[in-house]
Amino acid sequence: MHRSFLIPAPLLLAAALAAIAAPRSRAADAPAPTQRSFKFAFAPAQLSGFTSVPLDARFSDTSPFGYDNAGGSFPAAAGDHITTGEGGGPVYFSVKLHEGNYKVTVHLGGSEAGDTTVKAELRRLMLENIHTAPGQSVTKTFAVSVRQPPILDASGKEIGMTRVKAREGSAQRLNRTQGGEGWSWDDSLTLEFSGKPAVQGVEIEPAGNVTQVFLCGDSTMCDQPAEPYTSWGQVITRWFKPDTVVTSLAISGETMPAFLGEKRLDKITSMMHPGDFVLVQFGHNDMKSPAKDALDTYKKNLQRFISETKAHGGTPVIITPVSRETFGPDGKITDSFITRSGDDYVKACHDIADEEHVTLLDLNADSAKVYEALGPDHAQPLFATRAEKTHHSDYGSYEIAKCVVQEIVNAKLPLAEHVTDDWKPFDPTHPDPQSAVNLPPDPSPRRFNAPAGN
């Protein structure tokens, strides 16, 4: 547990934060937070009108904002900004917030040079290696989704509950370095500053009218809790503009029946607005079902995702399951999504997309091209461990996320308009060399096993 530390702040701000820090009320008429916009300065007197956060401010159950040690380091002062402290590793900052989409503006730079990478919540990449020269200041903005398990109707009344797994529960909130995933569902927003961070402050405010992208899938897409595992769903956030927010409800080991039974789709439709997108990628675990009608069930569930998304004004997008690393003797990837009985799960995605007239992104084909381009002797760095043939490393997830973005662009989805201006066309047959992908690693866990299932 974190140490309790009462943080000095103006009385008005302290009262507002205390209200937000309280446990979420389940009453239909629960009062809204008194304040949802905040300005925090990490270097005293550098940002006018901001609340100064001292170096010894610790986030805890009784302190609604502060630095949040999760196996990284507490910050060190560097004159007009903060940077990583003794021992190195990322600096985490958390603030209690209600569920919603938030616009986050970070003020980077200062008297010393910096190279700052920013992640949000459970390792979602937002900003990549932002270089600031000595004396330079840079402001960057992105959108982050903060969510909790209750399912609310339009009036704010609780009408259900998402059944999160034990490792996603609030008891795992402070257990990031042991593989806990509570950061994805807790009542706070966490920012991670890594590399050689130079951070002056941060602003947080409601995001307003943003396009929402919901991710539905398994461990190849979910918010992986710790190194060496990373998913493409944690990296794709880097290539969307601040007018777009990605919300992932994917989870390791998931099948479509489990996802639906846990009311994760119900949670999505309760948050959805017309014009939002639902990206659906299943298959790794669904194909393991021994049921004789497993493929028919898979198709029917894909149709359910499509129909319920459309019913709420959203755009469903089917994604074929990312390929496993299954090289044949000819150096080509063999299709591992055809079962012994002949059920073809990749073809099923194509068939349903054609029948329902929805967009399909063929990630299975694109990822195979990436693996084949590197070849059997050089593809392994794409994966989390030497033994892995499914789950990706930082490098692999970066390349797979690029495949997805390029498919979105190729399909001319309206979502392509929300891709960042620095996006460059990506050819899966010519992946980036590993040396070109330089994501600062997160703290290694003290106790962490491979993802449950796929």
Side-chain angles (χ1 to χ4, degrees):
M1 293 296 290
H2 292 265
R3 291 174 294 165
S4 297
F5 189 93
L6 187 59
I7 301 169
L11 293 178
L12 180 61
L13 179 61
L17 287 168
I20 292 177
R24 183 179 183 131
S25 171
R26 296 189 179 188
D29 58 350
T34 57
Q35 185 174 347
R36 298 185 66 176
S37 298
F38 310 98
K39 295 182 177 182
F40 297 109
F42 300 145
Q46 295 301 316
L47 296 171
S48 178
F50 285 49
T51 297
S52 180
V53 181
L55 291 177
D56 59 359
R58 301 290 183 260
F59 182 76
S60 72
D61 291 340
T62 58
S63 298
F65 67 87
Y67 300 110
D68 195 348
N69 186 11
S73 68
F74 289 120
D80 56 358
H81 63 279
I82 60 166
T83 190
T84 189
E86 184 178 354
V91 173
Y92 296 91
F93 178 78
S94 295
V95 58
K96 296 279 188 178
L97 287 172
H98 277 183
E99 178 173 280
N101 298 321
Y102 292 89
K103 183 173 74 172
V104 178
T105 300
V106 292
H107 297 262
L108 308 176
S111 57
E112 299 178 358
D115 286 284
T116 308
T117 290
V118 182
K119 296 180 183 179
E121 292 295 82
L122 192 58
R123 303 176 65 218
R124 303 174 204 161
L125 181 64
M126 310 309 299
L127 301 174
E128 175 190 1
N129 295 321
I130 304 300
H131 178 73
T132 47
Q136 181 185 16
S137 295
V138 172
T139 299
K140 296 285 185 179
T141 300
F142 50 84
V144 180
S145 168
V146 174
R147 67 175 186 273
Q148 283 103 40
I151 300 170
L152 310 177
D153 65 14
S155 69
K157 180 181 178 181
E158 185 177 315
I159 56 174
M161 183 71 68
T162 313
R163 292 201 289 272
V164 300
K165 299 183 187 300
R167 63 181 185 270
E168 298 175 287
S170 59
Q172 298 301 313
R173 166 64 180 84
L174 305 180
N175 206 17
R176 174 181 287 210
T177 54
Q178 297 181 356
E181 299 172 42
W183 298 58
S184 289
W185 290 94
D186 66 356
D187 59 351
S188 62
L189 168 63
T190 298
L191 299 174
E192 173 187 339
F193 304 104
S194 61
K196 185 184 177 183
V199 190
Q200 297 176 357
V202 61
E203 301 177 62
I204 301 169
E205 60 184 308
N209 185 24
V210 293
T211 296
Q212 300 181 102
V213 180
F214 296 98
L215 304 185
C216 310
D218 54 36
S219 59
T220 61
M221 179 199 260
C222 76
D223 286 351
Q224 289 285 357
E227 301 281 0
Y229 295 88
T230 306
S231 82
W232 68 259
Q234 290 172 295
V235 179
I236 198 172
T237 44
R238 180 255 183 268
W239 283 292
F240 286 116
K241 296 176 180 177
D243 62 0
T244 306
V245 66
V246 177
T247 300
S248 178
L249 277 80
I251 184 67
S252 295
E254 205 77 324
T255 62
M256 275 192 283
F259 193 98
L260 295 167
E262 292 158 1
K263 298 186 179 296
R264 292 177 189 252
L265 182 57
D266 293 343
K267 177 66 176 177
I268 288 171
T269 55
S270 74
M271 297 186 289
M272 190 185 301
H273 301 110
D276 292 341
F277 294 83
V278 177
L279 277 54
V280 182
Q281 181 215 256
F282 287 96
H284 280 268
N285 300 301
D286 298 81
M287 69 174 294
K288 299 174 184 177
S289 171
K292 292 183 179 180
D293 62 347
L295 188 63
D296 287 338
T297 299
Y298 182 76
K299 291 180 177 180
K300 290 176 181 177
N301 283 330
L302 281 176
Q303 290 171 322
R304 179 174 170 184
F305 275 87
I306 292 168
S307 63
E308 293 199 22
T309 299
K310 287 183 175 180
H312 288 82
T315 299
V317 179
I318 302 300
I319 303 178
T320 57
V322 63
S323 179
R324 300 183 178 98
E325 190 266 82
T326 50
F327 281 103
D330 60 354
K332 299 294 183 181
I333 293 294
T334 61
D335 188 347
S336 64
F337 293 93
I338 300 176
T339 67
R340 291 181 179 179
S341 62
D343 289 345
D344 190 331
Y345 282 78
V346 172
K347 183 177 183 296
C349 292
H350 285 271
D351 291 345
I352 294 300
D354 288 343
E355 292 173 16
E356 300 291 336
H357 305 289
V358 300
T359 297
L360 178 133
L361 310 182
D362 199 351
L363 182 58
N364 183 266
D366 287 346
S367 53
K369 291 176 183 177
V370 172
Y371 306 163
E372 291 170 356
L374 295 175
D377 296 332
H378 301 286
Q380 197 56 47
L382 294 165
F383 296 88
T385 68
R386 288 185 177 274
E388 271 288 351
K389 294 183 179 295
T390 300
H391 303 100
H392 296 99
S393 62
D394 283 351
Y395 171 43
S397 62
Y398 194 93
E399 300 302 285
I400 300 304
K402 279 191 166 185
C403 290
V404 178
V405 176
Q406 190 61 57
E407 284 278 340
I408 290 170
V409 172
N410 292 346
K412 298 182 179 179
L413 277 169
L415 184 57
E417 300 174 4
H418 300 271
V419 172
T420 55
D421 294 335
D422 68 344
W423 168 255
K424 296 178 181 178
F426 179 72
D427 181 355
T429 66
H430 292 86
D432 301 310
Q434 185 179 6
S435 59
V437 179
N438 182 28
L439 299 182
D442 294 309
S444 296
R446 292 191 294 272
R447 183 172 71 249
F448 182 61
N449 297 318
N454 300 118

